[in-house]
Amino acid sequence: MKKIFLLLMSIFVFSCLQGIQDEEPIIVCLETESRLMNIYIDLSGDDNSFSNPNYGQKLKQVLDFDFNHNGYTEVIKKTKALEAIIGSSFELLGKPNEWLAQNIYYVIKLRLKNKQLDARLFLVNSDIVRSFEGLEMTGDLNTDRRKVHLLA
């Protein structure tokens, strides 16, 4: 009796699994899906005051990751056209109409100088600039990434 019960249960389970494999996946389209806002992040100056010569780029990668995974923004890759708009000076961020023509709504410019991170945030639509200056960096990416996460 026990063997018959196990046989019947096995047949039932396998038939259920076979039915699942034959079905097509269910795709649900959500009406709340929205486009991400484009953001451009530039590391304009790195004084190489740290032992790792790529330290500034690694901090930028942390910031890129945060903004690419926040559900609101997407980091746009560097191009010659965008480099021309932002310029090389830390103080200059370009003109709003130039950024809007590129569909970019936020611009962040970073600078590492004397083991400090300075950042400028340009809200293109409202033509407002916010500055964050003097964030002390240790040179240890594991420690400093927390400060960059807070900045994001």
Side-chain angles (χ1 to χ4, degrees):
M1 185 69 158
K2 194 174 190 181
K3 290 181 183 180
I4 293 174
F5 177 73
L6 289 175
L7 179 65
L8 289 174
M9 285 300 290
S10 300
I11 292 171
F12 176 74
V13 169
F14 287 123
S15 65
C16 288
L17 290 176
Q18 182 63 32
I20 291 173
Q21 291 174 354
D22 292 340
E23 293 180 19
E24 291 188 30
I26 298 172
I27 298 173
V28 178
C29 296
L30 301 175
E31 292 182 30
T32 59
E33 188 173 319
S34 61
R35 295 192 55 164
L36 299 175
M37 302 291 282
N38 294 334
I39 184 170
Y40 181 71
I41 302 174
D42 181 60
L43 178 64
S44 67
D46 186 353
D47 66 357
N48 293 323
S49 56
F50 299 101
S51 58
N52 183 346
N54 297 323
Y55 182 73
Q57 285 300 322
K58 290 185 185 217
L59 286 178
K60 183 186 174 303
Q61 288 173 353
V62 171
L63 202 59
D64 286 352
F65 179 87
D66 285 348
F67 281 106
N68 275 329
H69 293 88
N70 67 6
Y72 185 68
T73 57
E74 177 181 18
V75 177
I76 302 302
K77 294 189 185 314
K78 185 181 279 194
T79 65
K80 291 187 185 225
L82 297 177
E83 284 183 40
I85 294 171
I86 201 162
S88 60
S89 171
F90 180 68
E91 286 72 28
L92 300 178
L93 294 168
K95 297 178 182 171
N97 60 343
E98 294 174 318
W99 290 113
L100 290 173
Q102 301 289 330
N103 293 319
I104 294 178
Y105 303 98
Y106 303 100
V107 178
I108 296 177
K109 201 166 203 180
L110 304 171
R111 174 178 65 185
L112 271 175
K113 186 175 182 181
N114 300 325
K115 295 190 177 185
Q116 292 184 339
L117 178 67
D118 298 328
R120 294 186 54 139
L121 168 63
F122 183 29
L123 308 170
V124 175
N125 278 335
S126 55
D127 197 13
I128 295 174
V129 176
R130 300 273 189 242
S131 294
F132 305 91
E133 297 177 358
L135 293 171
E136 293 289 331
M137 297 288 125
T138 64
D140 177 19
L141 192 61
N142 292 324
T143 302
D144 294 342
R145 84 172 44 246
R146 292 183 185 119
K147 294 177 185 176
V148 173
H149 289 311
L150 289 174
L151 181 65

